[in-house]
Amino acid sequence: MKSILAIGECMMELIEKSDSLLNRSFAGDTYNALVYAKRYNPQTDCRYFTAVGGDATSKTMLSAWKKHNLNTDCALVSTSATIGIYAISTDDTGERSFSYWRSQSAATQMMRLKPLPELINQIGHADIAFFSGISLGILSDEDKGLLLELTKRLQENGTKIAFDPNYRPAMWKGPEHAIHWLELAYQHCDIALPGIEEHELLLGHTSPIKIMQYCQSLGAKEIIVKCGNDGTFVYECGELIAHQAFVAAPVQIDSTAAGDSFAGTYLAARNIGCDIETALIDACSVAREVVQHKGAILDIDVYAAINTYAKRN
């Protein structure tokens, strides 16, 4: 059975339904990606490495993961913390703003709850391990180093490492701090999923080829550059393999998890042997649907209508 490991933080997500009502669900960038990977190919063993609390809300979250058929064997339990929380507000164009309560969450402890050899043993083998700049950003610098050591060990054991910088300025002490750790992460990955906006902001890169050359120089081999209205470019070993033009959704309600659903779909497709062009087309198709609905995770019936892999097979 093929397997994907995602690393990061899943939080309680609160979305306004009315002036007096909030809708609760659970989400987070790498978690969202894992849900979409499982949706794309239900036969894939999808595991999430993080830490949660031992309280009732954490247990409710784990139950939600199981409803999505995710493997919870790699979720550690903290006795001193619970899960983080965030609230989403969206404007008339579907753009999001967030409020977070996560600085002392259980996930920030995930690299300290067990020694590294025990963590590696508990995780076991995965075909792909996926982490992000947010996975790093929630951790202390010492724990960032431990996470990168973990990915290095997994890579040495045959796991392909995928990394999405998913840059959020508030999570870093400044641009130099972010660049330092993102460069180290690129050195620990086989598949990179950078966005042109974050690279332009941090490094002044204004073209997909500049981003590709930069990521390749640090060690990444398969590089998916997301360029907004210019579409998405995929390079392998320095060559452009595929380009998908941007096709706007008929209506944009909420851009939450558009990039996450893209990453999860792309990685799931590549993991089961789809070629790069097919994986790119399928990932763009899912992301285009996601922005037309509120919240991070599409209803299963909505997703089933667009699952091109299931329709082909």
Side-chain angles (χ1 to χ4, degrees):
M1 177 184 291
K2 290 291 186 178
S3 56
I4 294 177
L5 174 78
I7 302 170
E9 179 174 30
C10 184
M11 294 175 287
M12 184 193 302
E13 177 189 81
L14 301 175
I15 301 176
E16 290 184 6
K17 301 296 285 187
S18 69
D19 289 342
S20 59
L21 182 65
L22 293 171
N23 183 69
R24 181 184 76 171
S25 58
F26 300 99
D29 68 330
T30 55
Y31 168 80
N32 300 339
L34 194 67
V35 170
Y36 284 103
K38 186 68 174 181
R39 290 269 183 93
Y40 187 80
N41 180 39
Q43 284 70 51
T44 300
D45 176 23
C46 291
R47 290 174 252 153
Y48 200 52
F49 170 51
T50 188
V52 302
D55 57 297
T57 303
S58 294
K59 291 174 183 176
T60 299
M61 185 170 75
L62 291 174
S63 295
W65 298 4
K66 291 177 181 178
K67 289 179 181 177
H68 288 299
N69 297 310
L70 302 184
N71 186 331
T72 62
D73 291 349
C74 297
L76 307 179
V77 177
S78 168
T79 58
S80 61
T82 186
I83 61 173
I85 302 171
Y86 74 101
I88 300 176
S89 296
T90 54
D91 63 20
D92 293 338
T93 67
E95 284 304 312
R96 306 159 292 167
S97 60
F98 297 88
S99 299
Y100 289 99
W101 300 267
R102 77 192 305 180
S103 61
Q104 302 298 320
S105 70
T108 66
Q109 304 176 7
M110 63 182 176
M111 296 309 304
R112 311 180 227 140
L113 295 176
K114 288 188 176 182
L116 192 58
E118 290 186 27
L119 289 179
I120 293 170
N121 184 61
Q122 182 167 343
I123 288 169
H125 174 74
D127 295 301
I128 291 177
F130 174 56
F131 73 116
S132 72
I134 294 176
S135 309
L136 284 169
I138 64 171
L139 303 175
S140 69
D141 283 1
E142 181 180 356
D143 288 353
K144 289 179 180 65
L146 288 173
L147 175 54
L148 293 180
E149 181 62 25
L150 172 67
T151 62
K152 178 183 176 182
R153 300 276 189 92
L154 293 173
Q155 191 177 45
E156 290 171 349
N157 291 333
T159 297
K160 281 189 175 181
I161 306 300
F163 175 70
D164 183 338
N166 213 353
Y167 175 58
R168 299 291 184 269
M171 304 189 78
W172 304 93
K173 296 174 185 176
E176 295 80 8
H177 185 228
I179 291 168
H180 170 77
W181 288 104
L182 297 184
E183 286 189 342
L184 289 175
Y186 279 139
Q187 293 172 26
H188 289 75
C189 82
D190 302 284
I191 303 171
L193 298 104
I196 195 166
E197 290 184 1
E198 60 201 348
H199 264 253
E200 183 173 5
L201 184 63
L202 283 170
L203 296 155
H205 298 155
T206 58
S207 70
I209 195 165
K210 288 287 187 183
I211 296 172
M212 178 276 292
Q213 291 170 341
Y214 174 82
C215 293
Q216 185 183 35
S217 73
L218 293 170
K221 302 174 183 65
E222 187 171 329
I223 302 161
I224 304 93
V225 187
K226 297 162 286 183
C227 295
N229 291 338
D230 292 327
T232 305
F233 300 77
V234 185
Y235 299 87
E236 187 175 40
C237 299
E239 294 187 21
L240 178 64
I241 304 299
H243 170 247
Q244 184 72 13
F246 173 74
V247 178
V251 59
Q252 181 165 312
I253 302 297
D254 182 0
S255 58
T256 302
D260 309 335
S261 63
F262 175 94
T265 302
Y266 184 89
L267 294 174
R270 294 292 285 143
N271 198 36
I272 58 174
C274 294
D275 60 50
I276 284 174
E277 186 169 8
T278 298
L280 179 59
I281 290 170
D282 287 355
C284 289
S285 176
V286 172
R288 191 177 306 116
E289 185 67 32
V290 166
V291 302
Q292 298 180 61
H293 303 268
K294 276 190 172 288
I297 308 300
L298 289 174
D299 289 342
I300 190 66
D301 293 340
V302 174
Y303 182 83
I306 61 164
N307 189 349
T308 51
Y309 173 74
K311 291 176 181 177
R312 286 197 303 270
N313 294 275

